[in-house]
Amino acid sequence: MSDRWTELAPTFLSFLAVLVVRGLGDGIIRGLDRPMLSHLYPDSRGRAFGMYDLAWAVGSAAGPLVMTAAIALGDWRLAYFGLAAAPVPVVAFVWRLDLPFEEGREAILDREALVALLGTKEIAAMALAMFFHTGLEGDLFLWLPTFGIEAAGLVQSDANLLLSAFTIAYVPGRFVATAIVERYDYSVLLVGIELLLLPTFFISFFVVSGLATFPAVFCLGMLVSGVYPLLVAFGTDAAPEYSAPVNAIAAVSSSISFALVPMVMRFVAEAQGIRPAMWIPLALAVGVLPTILAARRSISFRDGGGE
């Protein structure tokens, strides 16, 4: 069976080309998802974004289980067949869904509007905070197992489970964030999460070790999980008529950070060790707090949020 499927991608370059095509499709979806939700639910963007990312967290946690089941059945490719078929009932459901009234439309983004948008302090703060936060997430996604082995004193199997504990924590974390998001201003919630996140991060990587790392990392995952959707909602509320460009700015900032920061951490980890390298994501987490606090001072009254 494996030989037959190998013929579809006989070389690594052809495999990469398919990934590029797949990435283009994913980029279109990710460019439209939150703007659509923003216009469909203008009075509860934070909750809509939180529920959307909660679904992502459930899928992320279930992915390794699906792959394990496929391997048990004899071929890891079966997991991708199952995942490809999964959206079919979703499309059928959405096709018959009565959508709520759409209150707003996207404004035309010309050059002057783009300059004004990038000059909005809330948007700039969102982009910068997103860079900091996604760098932290990227570091943890890639380096948690290594930290578990080299610094926390865990065996290989337990170190791999450490990353699973972190990602599974996104499910209850985003559930809680979604439940309370509309009770407070988005910036207030972001500040509160960061004030809890910083000591939790320090305890997870500089205080505890061994099996005690698991509950600490789980708590960290719950806190980290709520930041991304809150940041996008915070930025979108500043310019709801430009929700698509705001979403694109957030995606670009997070993508650049996710690509660059773990690479920087690799050089530090190779030179100094993994535990000293953990100061990098901690420093990034520290950077989110003053960024949001500075933006709060410039927030004016506007539709859908403000102070």
Side-chain angles (χ1 to χ4, degrees), residues 109-120:
L109 185 70
D110 54 22
R111 182 179 301 178
E112 293 182 358
L114 177 60
V115 172
L117 187 66
L118 294 174
T120 304

Side-chain angles (χ1 to χ4, degrees), residues 197-271:
L197 190 153
L198 293 175
T200 304
F201 188 102
F202 185 82
I203 292 171
S204 299
F205 299 109
F206 298 100
V207 177
V208 300
S209 61
L211 295 179
T213 309
F214 278 89
V217 166
F218 188 88
C219 292
L220 180 64
M222 289 187 64
L223 293 169
V224 168
S225 68
V227 176
Y228 189 102
L230 278 172
L231 281 174
V232 180
F234 174 73
T236 303
D237 260 15
E241 70 278 16
Y242 293 112
S243 57
V246 171
N247 185 54
I249 292 170
V252 169
S253 178
S254 62
S255 297
I256 293 174
S257 179
F258 201 92
L260 294 181
V261 176
M263 183 177 12
V264 173
M265 187 168 171
R266 174 186 176 182
F267 294 125
V268 177
E270 290 179 348

Side-chain angles (χ1 to χ4, degrees), residues 8-306:
L8 297 176
T11 67
F12 184 65
L13 288 178
S14 62
F15 174 68
L16 290 180
V18 173
L19 287 183
V20 170
V21 175
R22 181 261 182 193
L24 291 173
D26 186 59
I28 293 174
I29 294 174
R30 295 299 300 273
L32 296 174
D33 49 13
R34 286 186 179 85
M36 292 177 61
L37 290 172
S38 174
H39 288 294
L40 291 172
Y41 304 98
D43 296 326
S44 55
R45 290 189 181 92
R47 180 165 295 170
F49 292 174
M51 292 181 66
Y52 175 80
D53 286 320
L54 172 60
W56 175 92
V58 172
S60 178
L65 300 178
V66 174
M67 183 60 70
T68 300
I71 294 174
L73 291 174
D75 196 322
W76 58 269
R77 296 171 181 82
L78 294 175
Y80 289 91
F81 282 110
L83 294 175
V88 174
V90 177
V91 172
F93 172 76
V94 173
W95 189 265
R96 300 176 60 87
L97 185 65
D98 291 329
L99 296 176
F101 176 71
E102 184 175 343
E103 294 190 4
R105 293 181 178 272
E106 284 288 303
I108 297 176
L109 185 70
D110 54 22
R111 182 179 301 178
E112 293 182 358
L114 177 60
V115 172
L117 187 66
L118 294 174
T120 304
K121 291 185 178 180
E122 294 96 326
I123 304 298
M126 178 205 70
L128 183 58
M130 189 68 76
F131 181 90
F132 291 148
H133 174 74
T134 311
L136 178 148
E137 283 193 287
D139 281 344
L140 296 183
F141 285 153
L142 294 177
W143 293 99
L144 258 179
T146 302
F147 176 86
I149 296 173
E150 297 184 5
L154 299 173
V155 298
Q156 178 73 59
S157 57
D158 288 343
N160 292 335
L161 290 175
L162 191 63
L163 179 58
S164 296
F166 179 74
T167 55
I168 290 173
Y170 273 51
V171 177
R174 282 184 172 160
F175 179 83
V176 172
T178 301
I180 66 173
V181 66
E182 297 303 329
R183 300 180 186 178
Y184 307 97
D185 185 88
Y186 300 146
S187 60
V188 171
L189 281 174
L190 284 167
V191 170
I193 289 175
E194 291 298 326
L195 289 175
L196 293 173
L197 190 153
L198 293 175
T200 304
F201 188 102
F202 185 82
I203 292 171
S204 299
F205 299 109
F206 298 100
V207 177
V208 300
S209 61
L211 295 179
T213 309
F214 278 89
V217 166
F218 188 88
C219 292
L220 180 64
M222 289 187 64
L223 293 169
V224 168
S225 68
V227 176
Y228 189 102
L230 278 172
L231 281 174
V232 180
F234 174 73
T236 303
D237 260 15
E241 70 278 16
Y242 293 112
S243 57
V246 171
N247 185 54
I249 292 170
V252 169
S253 178
S254 62
S255 297
I256 293 174
S257 179
F258 201 92
L260 294 181
V261 176
M263 183 177 12
V264 173
M265 187 168 171
R266 174 186 176 182
F267 294 125
V268 177
E270 290 179 348
Q272 304 293 329
I274 188 62
R275 193 183 294 275
M278 281 296 173
W279 286 103
I280 295 176
L282 179 57
L284 293 172
V286 171
V288 174
L289 190 57
T291 302
I292 298 301
L293 288 174
R296 274 178 56 83
R297 298 182 59 185
S298 66
I299 294 177
S300 59
F301 283 98
R302 59 183 182 267
D303 293 335

